[in-house]
Amino acid sequence: MSTTAEINAYLNWRTEREGKTVDVSPEAYERHQIVKFVLDAIREGPDDNTLTEFNASWAELDKLVDELDELEKEN
């Protein structure tokens, strides 16, 4: 779970981005963090070009997508 400071920073960011107060749940913040991590991992790619590294990276992304799916089911 995220800290209150992290959640408040996220809410402030959303408010600035959207130009209005945004009321989001901690679950929405967690989803945002998962998506951010996935996108960062895709941008960075594996540390090297070996198939083993690629498969490990892909497996981690798959796990995160499963977590995101679970959060979506809960809400």
Side-chain angles (χ1 to χ4, degrees), residues 11-30:
L11 290 173
N12 289 335
W13 171 78
R14 288 279 309 267
T15 299
E16 288 176 20
R17 185 184 77 162
E18 297 178 13
K20 61 184 177 184
T21 301
V22 179
D23 182 23
V24 297
S25 67
E27 291 81 11
Y29 174 77
E30 293 298 324

Side-chain angles (χ1 to χ4, degrees), residues 14-49:
R14 288 279 309 267
T15 299
E16 288 176 20
R17 185 184 77 162
E18 297 178 13
K20 61 184 177 184
T21 301
V22 179
D23 182 23
V24 297
S25 67
E27 291 81 11
Y29 174 77
E30 293 298 324
R31 282 192 302 273
H32 172 79
Q33 293 302 308
I34 291 170
V35 169
K36 180 181 180 304
F37 184 84
V38 168
L39 292 175
D40 288 346
I42 290 169
R43 284 184 194 109
E44 293 171 14
D47 291 336
D48 59 30
N49 291 325

Side-chain angles (χ1 to χ4, degrees), residues 2-16:
S2 301
T3 66
T4 301
E6 290 172 325
I7 292 171
N8 287 335
Y10 170 72
L11 290 173
N12 289 335
W13 171 78
R14 288 279 309 267
T15 299
E16 288 176 20

